[in-house]
């Protein structure tokens, strides 16, 4: 399998949960007394099982979960698996009850590291899980990820990242977008007591409530986060009390009672179907082990552990399958034996799998872009800010699944008025004023992108993109590499200084964002480039950041003449021919560079790399081979920008052609100062460029 087909093999479409379904059919043979009702069946929403039917299905599933976890522990102890192997031993009532009513391939879920049964109920198999934990050639992530970091984005079982609190916003976005497309679906977003303390959980609950996304937030409260007890984790009585603050209803239940969990989840789905509002459900559950296979959990007192073992949900459910569903001991044991045999055969198959072959992997983080031609577009002279408006208008008009979200992008038309009038043309459902919370906003967009929506995000200022470092840099950036599914999100970053806005409203951050694998960065300078960058970013299947220099919104203008050829956009831009020096600049510095080149007696070739990531460096290398000199200008401080990286790349490729050391003209390495005199001194300009050029000769 070559790299590209390795990527494709990640996704299997909406396959349902055939493994579980066939296991349940097999289990039915254990029922000796044929006068009893059908033994094992899964009734997904809106059906509900009776108590009698319920235990005959729930107990085998819980047993499956327990037995699988125990085999995982064994594999860890024997050295077959590495890393953080966290089990759900003690959590089976919660993890089974919460997922049983959900519909695989329809409902949008993110489940956690103690929810192995949830993965099986939603389409995975023990074989896949063993392969994933052993990171072998058949692992569903091709060995790129380990242990709990798996799922199937194509069937809406989102693969988690380690960063706790980061997944629920995806569920909210996915559920919201699928509902918007007319699908009658729900979300399930699971978080632990520890994860519930993260900031993004707050942002996400708030967005879910404001946007009316029917997502069940389920807290698995197992009294500990690693070694930290809940007394050190939070100071409210119940975590579900927090629901009130979001204007939603919350409930705390006994998470060791699988019927109670199942019933509460069915109730929540029915209620969400009626009012479309999210719910918060706290399940008081158990962790009958240390945090992970390497942790003995000796901070849990013997007394507490004794008490917990009394409340172990598995023996309780075993009693119920006999008392309520009428299974005999022999029938129960027959069920267990089939499950053990099934797991054993999957384990043996997984153990015989080869190790992953680096030669068969794809080593790019990016989803492949199909060469696409779209409708051409022309406009007479427009300002750069107006080019932004035209591009978004072009996209929203042609793509009903596209929507714009950001702060004040609606009625106000966005902080720099680039979105003016869009709400009148496309309405508040497609031009959406979001609550503050940039991290959850990005997660929301990522989730929406997985169900066919095409989100466009505006950060109010590029500076606030730092609020979403993990969500954008780690979750979105690695999404395709981990899951095989594309993450088509366009993110707009109004950026840059020169407007006397100080350190927190003047940043570019192209340096920061270029350090994350899997993101694409475009930095246009002209009106035409701005229009093109936004289209290129939108149609690309990867998360694309477009930097829009705020100073240029009103001060620069030009015609737009876009020929519809998207592939042609992804290239560096040359503004003037020259023989003696290659001058590279991006953003507002392009204009300073052009001004300097115009005044300078030397023959200067001015370039804008335009595609900052993956850096389109080859044409610049060619230019330097011709001129023998390279000067890069960046607006921010020396260590904050992309300049050093750009120079390193060009020097590596064109070292022998250099006639003088390449130079980087950057601002002083301090935060951008506020006072106009200081800011003017801080930012590079044409005059400084001229001096730097002269020094190079
Ligand atoms: C944001 C973040 N910080 C730290 C960690 C390291 N970590 C991994 S699991 C864990 C404890 C999680 O506790 P909880 O959310 O209660 O889930 P549980 O393991 O108890 O099911 C921590 C701190 C992390 N994964 N994410
Ligand atoms: Mg916990």
């Amino acid at each position: 399998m070559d790299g590209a087909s390795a990527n494709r093999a990640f996704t299997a479409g909406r396959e349902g949960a055939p493994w579980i379904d066939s296991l349940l059919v097999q289990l039915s043979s254990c029922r000796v007394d044929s006068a009893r009702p059908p033994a094992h069946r899964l009734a997904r929403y809106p059906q509900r099982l009776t108590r009698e039917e319920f235990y005959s299905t729930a107990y085998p599933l819980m047993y499956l979960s327990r037995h699988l976890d125990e085999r995982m522990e064994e594999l860890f102890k024997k050295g077959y698996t590495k890393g953080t192997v966290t089990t759900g031993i003690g959590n089976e009532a919660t993890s089974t009850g919460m997922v049983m009513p959900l519909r695989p391939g329809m409902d949008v879920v993110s489940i956690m590291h103690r929810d192995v049964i949830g993965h099986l109920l939603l389409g995975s198999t023990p074989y896949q899980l063993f392969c994933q934990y052993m990171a072998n050639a058949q692992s569903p992530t091709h060995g790129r990820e380990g242990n709990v970091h798996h799922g199937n984005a194509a069937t809406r079982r989102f693969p988690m990242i380690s960063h706790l609190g980061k997944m629920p916003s995806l569920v909210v976005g996915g559920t919201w977008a699928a509902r918007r497309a007319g699908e009658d679906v729900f979300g399930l977003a699971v978080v632990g007591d520890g994860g519930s303390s993260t900031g993004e959980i707050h942002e996400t609950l708030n967005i879910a409530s404001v946007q009316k996304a029917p997502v069940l937030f389920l807290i698995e409260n197992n009294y500990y986060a690693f070694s930290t007890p809940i007394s050190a984790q939070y100071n409210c009585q119940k975590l579900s009390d927090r629901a009130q603050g979001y204007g939603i209803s919350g409930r705390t239940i006994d998470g060791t009672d699988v019927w109670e969990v199942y019933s509460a989840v069915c109730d929540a789905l029915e209620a969400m179907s009626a009012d479309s509002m999210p719910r918060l459900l706290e399940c008081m559950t158990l962790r009958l082990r240390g945090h992970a296979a390497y942790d003995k959990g000796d901070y849990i007192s013997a007394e507490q552990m004794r008490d917990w073992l009394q409340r172990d949900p598995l023996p309780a459910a075993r009693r119920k399958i006999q008392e309520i569903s009428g299974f005999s001991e022999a029938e129960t044991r027959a069920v267990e034996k089939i499950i053990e045999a099934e797991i054993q055969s999957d384990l043996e198959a997984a153990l015989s799998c080869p190790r992953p072959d680096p030669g068969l992997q794809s080593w790019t983080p990016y989803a492949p872009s199909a060469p696409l031609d779209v409708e051409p577009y022309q406009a007479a002279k427009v300002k750069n800010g107006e080019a932004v408006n035209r591009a978004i208008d072009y996209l929203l008009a042609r793509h009903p699944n596209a929507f714009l979200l950001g702060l004040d992008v609606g009625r106000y038309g966005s902080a720099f008025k680039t979105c003016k009038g869009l709400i009148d043309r496309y309405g508040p459902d497609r031009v959406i004023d979001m609550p503050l919370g940039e991290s959850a906003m990005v997660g929301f967009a990522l989730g929406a992108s997985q169900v066919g929506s095409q989100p466009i995000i505006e950060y109010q200022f590029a500076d606030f993109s730092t609020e979403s470092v993990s969500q954008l840099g780690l979750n979105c950036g690695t999404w395709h590499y981990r899951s095989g599914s594309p993450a088509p999100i366009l993110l707009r970053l109004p950026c840059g200084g020169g407007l006397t806005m100080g350190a927190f409203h003047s940043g570019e951050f192209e340096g920061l964002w270029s350090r994350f694998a899997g993101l694409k960065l475009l930095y246009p300078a002209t009106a035409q480039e701005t229009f093109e960058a936004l289209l290129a970013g939108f149609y690309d299947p990867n998360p694309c950041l477009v930097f829009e220099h705020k100073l240029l919104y009103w001060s620069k203008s030009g015609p737009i003449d876009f020929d519809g050829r998207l592939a042609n956009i992804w290239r560096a831009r040359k503004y003037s021919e020259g023989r003696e020096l290659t001058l590279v600049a991006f953003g507002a510095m392009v204009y300073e560079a052009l001004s300097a080149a115009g005044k300078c007696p030397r023959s200067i070739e001015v370039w804008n790399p335009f595609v900052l990531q993956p850096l389109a460096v080859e044409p610049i290398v060619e230019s330097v081979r011709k001129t023998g000199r390279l000067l890069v200008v960046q607006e921010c401080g020396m260590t904050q920008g992309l300049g050093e990286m750009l120079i390193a790349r060009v020097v590596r490729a064109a070292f022998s052609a250099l006639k003088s050391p390449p130079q980087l003209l950057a601002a002083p390495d301090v935060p951008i100062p506020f006072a106009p005199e200081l800011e003017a001194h801080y930012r590079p300009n044409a005059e400084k460029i001229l001096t730097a050029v002269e020094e190079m000769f």
Side-chain angles (χ1 to χ4, degrees):
M1 198 165 20
D2 64 8
S5 42
N7 275 339
R8 274 198 298 278
F10 270 104
T11 52
R14 297 190 178 190
E15 83 264 24
W19 187 86
I20 277 283
D21 292 340
S22 79
L23 175 76
L24 292 178
V25 171
Q26 247 197 91
L27 295 183
S28 303
S29 66
C30 302
R31 208 68 200 266
V32 179
D33 179 0
S34 57
R36 309 287 301 189
H40 310 281
R41 78 182 178 101
L42 270 170
R44 318 278 192 175
Y45 174 87
Q47 296 176 56
R48 252 169 124 140
L49 296 167
T50 64
R51 253 183 122 209
E52 185 179 10
E53 290 175 315
F54 175 76
Y55 281 107
S56 65
T57 305
Y59 172 69
L61 296 175
M62 290 169 72
Y63 186 78
L64 168 63
S65 179
R66 175 74 55 102
H67 193 69
L68 187 52
D69 272 340
E70 285 172 349
R71 300 310 302 267
M72 290 290 191
E73 283 185 328
E74 189 189 338
L75 284 177
F76 181 83
K77 284 183 191 138
K78 290 179 175 168
Y80 289 98
T81 59
K82 307 238 176 309
T84 304
V85 174
T86 47
T87 75
I89 295 178
N91 188 47
E92 293 89 350
T94 292
S95 57
T96 306
M98 74 186 181
V99 178
M100 275 176 74
L102 299 184
R103 299 154 300 174
M106 271 187 81
D107 294 319
V108 185
V109 299
S110 132
I111 51 179
M112 292 284 293
H113 50 285
R114 306 194 189 284
D115 301 332
V116 68
I117 187 64
H119 286 288
L120 298 181
L121 280 166
L122 294 170
S124 190
T125 67
Y127 173 72
Q128 280 184 353
L129 297 177
F130 285 129
C131 291
Q132 166 72 11
Y133 277 71
M134 288 191 264
N136 65 27
Q138 289 301 316
S139 112
T141 58
H142 300 286
R144 296 176 191 183
E145 255 301 351
N147 52 61
V148 295
H149 303 126
H150 61 90
N152 186 343
T155 60
R156 305 176 177 182
R157 175 168 52 93
F158 290 160
M160 67 182 279
I161 58 167
S162 286
H163 294 56
L164 295 170
K166 292 293 169 197
M167 295 307 296
S169 55
L170 279 66
V171 177
V172 172
T175 308
W176 173 89
R179 286 246 156 194
R180 191 168 156 270
E183 290 188 52
D184 187 18
V185 301
F186 303 105
L188 173 70
V190 183
V191 67
D193 46 284
S196 77
S197 299
T198 59
E200 185 157 332
I201 290 297
H202 164 68
E203 293 181 13
T204 303
L205 275 155
N206 188 48
I207 290 178
S209 179
V210 171
Q211 287 297 334
K212 296 193 179 4
V215 172
L216 180 60
F217 290 83
L218 191 143
I219 301 177
E220 293 179 329
N221 188 338
N222 59 9
Y223 303 91
Y224 281 92
F226 205 146
S227 72
T228 305
I230 53 175
S231 57
Q233 190 67 245
Y234 58 87
N235 204 20
C236 48
Q237 264 207 321
K238 290 183 285 173
L239 287 173
S240 62
D241 290 343
R242 292 180 180 171
Q244 202 186 353
Y246 303 107
I248 64 177
S249 70
R251 234 181 118 182
T252 296
I253 61 166
D254 178 4
T256 66
D257 181 335
V258 64
W259 173 251
E260 190 168 337
V261 175
Y262 173 78
S263 306
V265 171
C266 289
D267 289 348
L269 299 183
E270 280 163 16
M272 292 196 299
S273 172
D275 66 9
S276 191
M277 289 298 284
R279 300 277 185 294
L280 180 59
L281 181 65
E282 180 186 24
C283 297
M284 302 308 295
T285 179
L286 297 177
R287 194 190 81 191
L288 296 176
R289 292 287 194 272
H291 170 68
Y294 51 70
D295 171 28
K296 292 194 182 67
D298 43 19
Y299 43 86
I300 303 169
S301 73
E303 190 191 354
Q304 188 165 39
M305 189 47 89
R306 258 198 312 279
D307 172 50
W308 282 1
L309 287 169
Q310 298 277 313
R311 293 167 50 209
D312 185 343
L314 193 69
R318 196 176 195 275
R319 281 194 296 277
K320 298 277 172 55
I321 193 177
Q322 300 191 353
E323 288 166 18
I324 296 174
S325 304
F327 275 60
S328 67
E329 176 59 26
E331 286 172 333
T332 312
R333 194 57 210 129
V335 163
E336 292 167 350
K337 275 190 162 159
I338 288 178
I339 290 168
E340 286 160 21
E342 281 296 308
I343 289 180
Q344 180 65 22
S345 86
D346 274 26
L347 176 54
E348 281 167 17
L351 280 167
S352 68
C353 276
R355 300 300 307 158
D357 178 348
L360 295 179
Q361 288 274 331
S362 158
W363 290 98
T364 167
Y366 296 117
S369 344
L372 194 67
D373 286 347
V374 295
E375 222 177 299
Y377 185 86
Q378 271 93 30
K381 199 172 169 192
V382 293
K383 293 186 170 161
N384 279 18
E386 174 63 15
V388 171
N389 193 288
R390 299 286 182 101
I392 303 173
D393 184 46
Y394 175 104
L395 296 169
L396 294 182
R398 285 162 183 77
H399 302 282
N401 285 343
F403 64 97
L404 171 71
L405 66 163
L407 310 187
D408 308 295
V409 294
R411 184 63 46 221
Y412 192 73
S414 103
F416 295 94
K417 298 292 182 193
T418 50
C419 303
K420 205 169 161 210
L422 293 173
I423 195 169
D424 301 322
R425 266 164 271 156
Y426 302 103
D429 293 338
R430 297 187 64 203
V431 179
I432 303 164
D433 278 333
M434 292 291 275
L436 263 88
E438 283 77 359
S439 190
M441 179 162 76
V442 173
F444 182 92
L446 176 56
S449 77
Q450 298 308 300
V451 305
S453 272
Q454 297 168 282
I456 304 169
I457 284 186
E458 178 188 290
Y459 288 108
Q460 197 153 64
F461 288 78
D463 308 73
F464 303 118
S465 68
T466 60
E467 292 290 294
S468 54
V469 167
S470 315
Q471 193 60 273
L472 179 55
L474 299 180
N475 211 354
C476 296
T478 65
W479 186 263
H480 176 258
Y481 182 73
R482 293 181 293 120
S483 74
S485 289
I489 308 167
L490 170 63
L491 303 109
R492 300 178 36 236
L493 291 85
C495 68
L499 290 163
T500 330
M501 290 184 143
F504 306 115
H505 288 76
S506 307
E508 287 176 300
F509 293 99
E510 95 288 349
L512 171 80
W513 289 115
S514 69
R515 259 56 176 188
F516 291 94
L519 304 179
K520 293 192 178 179
L521 275 60
L522 297 164
Y523 203 163
T526 66
Q528 164 123 3
E529 288 171 11
T530 302
F531 185 88
E532 289 183 347
L534 292 168
L535 262 65
F538 178 86
Y539 288 109
D540 195 84
N542 298 282
C544 288
L545 289 72
V546 174
F547 294 83
E548 301 167 1
H549 202 291
K550 310 191 290 273
L551 198 57
L552 310 181
Y553 275 150
W554 304 289
S555 66
K556 295 296 164 193
S557 56
I560 299 173
D561 185 7
F562 170 56
D563 61 9
R565 309 240 348 253
L566 287 172
N568 203 22
I569 298 177
W570 296 89
R571 63 187 163 82
R573 309 299 164 116
K574 180 163 64 174
Y575 303 107
S576 68
E577 293 285 346
R579 295 177 320 276
E580 292 177 285
L581 183 138
T582 304
L583 178 53
V584 178
F586 38 86
M589 290 301 119
V590 164
Y591 294 94
E592 298 299 330
L594 283 170
S595 155
K599 290 178 194 154
C600 185
R602 312 277 179 187
S603 171
I604 296 180
E605 189 155 297
V606 179
W607 280 88
N608 172 9
F610 181 74
V611 184
L612 302 189
Q613 179 80 317
L615 193 53
V617 82
E618 292 73 19
I620 294 169
V621 167
E622 276 312 304
S623 170
V624 172
R625 285 203 179 107
K626 177 177 67 177
T627 63
R629 291 185 181 82
L630 171 66
L631 172 61
V632 177
V633 189
Q634 79 184 21
E635 184 175 312
C636 63
M638 185 78 72
T639 59
Q640 296 147 40
L642 194 81
E644 288 184 320
M645 192 159 92
L646 209 155
I647 289 177
R649 295 270 297 274
V650 176
V651 167
R652 279 210 301 272
F655 184 76
S656 57
L658 291 170
K659 296 177 185 153
S660 70
Q663 296 296 327
L664 173 60
L665 178 62
D669 240 341
V670 298
I672 183 167
F674 183 78
E677 301 79 3
L678 300 183
E679 189 189 31
H681 181 86
Y682 170 92
R683 298 178 74 234
N685 57 25
E687 205 180 315
K688 291 180 201 171
I689 294 171
L690 281 170
T691 309
V693 168
E694 276 320 305
E695 281 171 4
M696 287 179 69
F697 281 89

